[in-house]
Amino acid sequence: AMSIVKMREILARVHSNYSGMVAVVKTPLKTEDVLPLAAKYLGSLPATKQPVERISRPELHYRPNDTIAVRMVDGDTPKADCILMLAWEKNLKYDASHQAHMDALRSVLSEALLNRIRLQHSDIYSIGVQPKYTQYPFPQMLFTISFACAPERESAIRNDIKALLQELADKGIDEQLLANYKALRHKQHKAPSLNTDKSADDIRTYFVNGGIVIDNNDLTCVDAVTTASLQDFLKRLLSDGHTYEYVMKTEGK
């Protein structure tokens, strides 16, 4: 009986005023039999009576310019922990094709960073790429590139990573990198499940993504990704999005 519009309103409030938990329960029991048990469990959890203030997150919202923040902290070991967040909100449309390109770009970027940046800089550690799409409190895709390195090298490495991203957008994606990703997805492909019922996670994803549930077992959109379409995807990410850079440096004692 819950409409998608009403569920969106609830989720928007939950994500901006989060002070507890959200549970999706799948059970063969009747609702009237389950609710008393859920209420008993929730009632046993610690809670406060104070009203919850709305959390403002302007630092993560769309900004018309790139930003950088460098923070010095105390520590025994000289190190720099760096994050480059490619934030995309403008002209963002989420669907199965977007998810396929997002996953493909994560794989291609991960391999490109290892092949180029890791070889260029021997003092870079734990470099990785993690994409994330969120619908609430506003539609946004974050492509996070993180790494650790010697504090005196962080600026040069960040600039080299940004140069690599622009090079991939301008000159194109290596066909072999995309082929490696597709081969891995096909290797990990599983036979369709005989259980056609929607899982609790499917129901949650349906509401969070505005009625879209991506079937990760369907490789149609994965196979449709080309070097040209992936290059265009990266171009739009760089042109319509912005880069937020965070550096936490420890000089050592």
Side-chain angles (χ1 to χ4, degrees):
M2 180 71 73
S3 70
I4 187 69
V5 174
K6 185 64 177 177
M7 196 64 186
R8 282 175 176 170
E9 293 176 357
I10 294 175
L11 280 172
R13 292 200 303 272
V14 167
H15 278 254
S16 60
N17 300 285
Y18 184 75
S19 63
M21 74 174 193
V22 178
V24 177
V25 180
K26 179 181 179 182
T27 172
L29 301 178
K30 295 181 179 179
T31 303
E32 55 267 25
D33 295 331
V34 175
L35 284 179
L37 299 176
K40 183 178 180 180
Y41 170 72
L42 294 175
S44 68
L45 298 177
T48 60
K49 295 182 179 180
Q50 289 78 8
V52 179
E53 294 183 5
R54 184 176 182 85
I55 300 174
S56 176
R57 296 192 286 179
E59 72 279 3
L60 290 180
H61 207 347
Y62 171 77
R63 281 179 277 184
N65 59 293
D66 298 339
T67 63
I68 178 171
V70 180
R71 181 183 177 188
M72 302 299 299
V73 296
D74 295 330
D76 296 330
T77 304
K79 186 180 67 167
D81 292 300
C82 307
I83 295 177
L84 277 72
M85 298 178 67
L86 306 178
W88 184 5
E89 296 175 29
K90 182 182 176 183
N91 299 324
L92 180 62
K93 180 184 178 182
Y94 182 76
D95 54 19
S97 177
H98 180 99
Q99 182 67 47
H101 281 81
M102 190 167 71
D103 292 338
L105 185 59
R106 177 202 56 78
S107 177
V108 166
L109 276 183
S110 296
E111 199 167 344
L113 287 169
L114 289 175
N115 292 345
R116 172 80 69 83
I117 306 300
R118 186 68 182 87
L119 294 179
Q120 282 181 344
H121 303 276
S122 59
D123 53 358
I124 186 172
Y125 310 99
S126 306
I127 190 167
V129 182
Q130 183 61 51
K132 180 182 179 182
Y133 172 83
T134 55
Q135 180 76 19
Y136 298 99
F138 45 81
Q140 181 187 68
M141 189 184 83
L142 292 177
F143 235 95
T144 303
I145 302 174
S146 59
F147 65 91
C149 66
E152 67 273 11
R153 297 295 302 155
E154 56 86 11
S155 179
I157 294 174
R158 283 189 291 108
N159 288 334
D160 284 347
I161 290 176
K162 288 185 288 185
L164 173 60
L165 290 170
Q166 196 60 55
E167 180 182 319
L168 293 174
D170 293 339
K171 297 183 179 179
I173 307 293
D174 187 337
E175 182 71 48
Q176 188 58 53
L177 296 182
L178 181 58
N180 292 345
Y181 167 70
K182 290 185 177 182
L184 180 62
R185 286 298 304 272
H186 278 272
K187 184 178 180 180
Q188 295 174 337
H189 186 263
K190 298 179 181 179
S193 172
L194 296 177
N195 181 12
T196 58
D197 293 338
K198 293 295 184 182
S199 68
D201 191 58
D202 285 338
I203 297 172
R204 180 194 63 80
T205 305
Y206 176 83
F207 286 117
V208 169
N209 290 343
I212 298 177
V213 178
I214 306 301
D215 183 1
N216 290 321
N217 200 49
D218 184 357
L219 299 182
T220 303
C221 288
V222 174
D223 291 335
V225 176
T226 65
T227 52
S229 68
L230 195 58
Q231 180 184 4
D232 179 66
F233 184 83
L234 178 56
K235 279 184 177 180
R236 287 186 288 126
L237 168 60
L238 296 179
S239 62
D240 292 345
H242 293 88
T243 304
Y244 307 150
E245 302 178 59
Y246 302 88
V247 181
M248 188 170 65
K249 299 174 72 170
T250 303
E251 295 292 356
K253 296 180 180 178

